[in-house]
Amino acid sequence: MTLDLTGITSKAAIHQLFKEKLGFEDWYGANWDAFWDSIVAIVEMPEQLTLTNWQEFAEHCPRDMQILRQVIQDYAVEMAPKRIVLA
């Protein structure tokens, strides 16, 4: 599965995209802890989730991009062979 992050310039927007496209529950908390819980225990994730055009998000939200990169690393360890890729 590929998610295009073009135009995503806020933490709220990226979490809304994840909620809609990955099928998170209505009560999804729109924060990184809730994201982690959702991708490891609540929804069935694809074998590979590819995030494209993420650079604009990284420019506007450098701290959140740093957190997302850490989540991606932790996910690779915890959920192998499933993975999230920045492309």
Side-chain angles (χ1 to χ4, degrees):
M1 171 186 272
T2 300
L3 295 183
D4 183 355
L5 302 187
T6 299
I8 301 295
T9 59
S10 70
K11 180 180 177 181
I14 199 168
H15 283 288
Q16 184 62 36
L17 178 72
F18 288 148
K19 179 180 176 181
E20 290 174 7
K21 300 297 184 182
L22 297 174
F24 292 173
E25 300 291 335
D26 288 339
W27 43 262
Y28 174 64
N31 62 64
W32 295 114
D33 288 334
F35 178 72
W36 177 258
D37 292 344
S38 294
I39 64 173
V40 300
I42 298 172
V43 300
E44 183 61 36
M45 289 288 286
E47 286 299 312
Q48 178 171 307
L49 174 63
T50 302
L51 304 177
T52 61
N53 301 310
W54 52 268
Q55 294 85 352
E56 188 177 14
F57 175 72
E59 278 182 33
H60 285 86
C61 304
R63 175 72 180 123
D64 286 295
M65 189 65 207
Q66 182 181 7
I67 295 168
L68 178 56
R69 286 180 186 275
Q70 185 62 56
V71 167
I72 290 169
Q73 289 177 359
D74 293 347
Y75 186 81
V77 171
E78 184 78 20
M79 301 301 290
K82 292 184 178 184
R83 61 193 188 132
I84 301 171
V85 176
L86 298 175

